[in-house]
């Protein structure tokens, strides 16, 4: 899984490509944590190219979200497929994250 | 019934091969996008548990994965010869705590139970066997 990284309007945007699973969730976590520790306060993770995310990925997101919270940062998610949204609901993660339908909405929320 | 069997090493980096094999098998047999998604998440969770617990996290050992297309369902069987471990006995996950206290323990098994139609564990001799069933009408 590669993670495309761009920025727009002061927001760092990560776009993982493929599966966020037991093998590569760590890479997403590391990147988010490194960014936050380096001072990034506005982050958007775009799921449009993510085929699925398993509990390892949820763990990564939770760690990043907690760190962002502690540092006064904003971590927003967007672009999820219906299947991924369903898993977020099953794990009761929908209330823990700001989740937007599109990247434009995500950008607006993250700013 | 069509069946495919594969063996992977008990290591995280070997999970991708199993995920791809499952995706190809399910697609070939007419699974919907939602069913493929659910099967892949469930398999990832199950393999993750075996890798973490089955062989003491040593990376030694093998995992056998059997994929079956039955007339009305996909069946995934995961077998290992690690220590006796029933992942279905994991505690129910924390789904209510606020952010600061939220943990992910038990979440994987919760996903497996929620996304699959049947899940069962058996210990036979030296083998752990986990069987997942996802109902899917035949093509």
């Amino acid at each position: 899984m590669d993670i495309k990284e761009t920025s727009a309007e002061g927001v760092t945007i990560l776009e993982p490509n493929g599966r966020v699973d037991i093998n590569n969730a760590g890479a997403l976590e590391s990147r988010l944590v490194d960014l936050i520790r380096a001072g990034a306060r506005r982050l958007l993770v775009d799921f449009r190219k993510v085929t699925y995310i398993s509990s390892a990925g949820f763990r990564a997101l939770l760690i990043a979200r907690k760190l962002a919270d502690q540092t006064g940062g904003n971590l927003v998610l967007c672009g999820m497929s219906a299947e991924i949204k369903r898993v977020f609901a099953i794990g009761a993660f929908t209330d823990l994250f700001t989740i937007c339908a599109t990247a434009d909405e995500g950008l607006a929320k993250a700013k | 019934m069509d069946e495919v069997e594969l063996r992977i090493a008990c290591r995280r980096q070997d999970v991708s091969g199993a995920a791809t094999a499952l995706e190809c098998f399910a697609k070939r047999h007419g699974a919907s996008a939602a069913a493929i998604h659910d099967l892949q998440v469930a398999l990832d969770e199950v393999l993750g548990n075996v890798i973490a617990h089955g062989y003491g996290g040593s990376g030694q050992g093998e995992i056998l994965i059997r994929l079956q297309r039955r007339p009305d369902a996909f069946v995934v069987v995961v077998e290992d010869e690690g220590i006796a471990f029933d992942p279905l006995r994991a505690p129910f996950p924390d789904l209510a705590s606020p952010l600061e206290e939220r943990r992910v323990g038990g979440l994987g098994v919760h996903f497996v139970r929620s996304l699959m139609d049947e899940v069962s564990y058996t210990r036979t001799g030296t083998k752990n066997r986990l069987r997942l069933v996802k109902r899917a009408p035949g093509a």
Side-chain angles (χ1 to χ4, degrees):
Chain A
M1 179 195 72
D2 57 280
I3 305 173
K4 182 175 151 194
E5 196 171 313
T6 53
S7 67
E9 303 174 57
V11 178
T12 306
I13 305 160
L14 296 185
E15 198 176 325
N17 183 6
R19 306 161 185 155
V20 183
D21 60 9
I22 186 82
N23 188 39
N24 58 40
L28 179 60
E29 179 188 322
S30 297
R31 195 65 202 121
L32 283 167
V33 167
D34 287 350
L35 283 164
I36 296 167
R37 286 198 176 136
R41 291 290 170 266
R42 290 180 282 275
L43 294 139
L44 176 64
V45 181
D46 189 333
F47 278 74
R48 79 178 84 180
K49 289 188 177 155
V50 174
T51 48
Y52 64 84
I53 173 169
S54 64
S55 63
F58 279 91
R59 185 176 171 276
L61 288 177
L62 196 59
I63 286 167
R65 173 77 173 87
K66 287 180 182 183
L67 188 61
D69 221 47
Q70 285 162 23
T71 54
N74 211 357
L75 172 61
V76 177
L77 315 178
C78 72
M80 291 179 193
S81 66
E83 287 79 26
I84 290 175
K85 262 191 247 160
R86 186 161 40 96
V87 178
F88 266 77
I90 290 168
F93 269 65
T94 318
D95 290 340
L96 295 186
F97 289 89
T98 303
I99 298 173
C100 300
T102 67
D104 284 343
E105 287 168 22
L107 209 58
K109 286 278 186 188
K111 278 196 292 190
Chain B
M1 180 187 80
D2 196 12
E3 181 173 302
V4 152
E5 212 173 81
L6 60 145
R7 287 177 190 274
I8 63 166
C10 201
R11 297 176 311 191
R12 288 181 185 187
Q13 57 265 46
D14 292 295
V15 170
S16 315
T20 302
L22 173 58
E23 185 181 4
C24 292
F25 182 82
K27 272 187 183 156
R28 198 162 71 241
H29 288 285
S32 65
I36 294 170
H37 167 274
D38 294 355
L39 284 162
Q40 288 196 293
V41 173
L43 181 63
D44 192 79
E45 303 297 354
V46 169
L47 293 179
N49 263 319
V50 176
I51 289 165
H53 302 282
Y55 296 95
S58 66
Q60 305 296 313
E62 269 194 340
I63 307 173
L64 170 69
I65 301 156
R66 202 174 289 127
L67 310 174
Q68 296 170 346
R69 182 21 158 170
R70 291 175 181 254
D72 61 347
F74 285 93
V75 179
V76 178
V77 178
V78 178
E79 216 168 79
D80 70 90
E81 296 202 36
I83 59 164
F85 176 73
D86 178 1
L88 303 182
R89 297 178 77 113
F92 197 76
D94 169 15
L95 300 178
S97 294
L99 178 70
E100 314 77 49
E101 292 139 34
R102 185 71 70 99
R103 300 281 178 270
V104 293
L107 192 62
V109 174
H110 178 57
F111 285 158
V112 174
R113 287 190 190 280
S114 303
L115 298 174
M116 296 292 101
D117 294 298
E118 291 167 37
V119 188
S120 57
Y121 167 83
T122 47
R123 174 84 181 170
T124 310
T126 58
K127 295 182 183 169
N128 294 305
R129 183 180 292 132
L130 199 67
R131 186 172 182 271
L132 313 174
V133 179
K134 182 74 178 175
R135 287 192 210 110

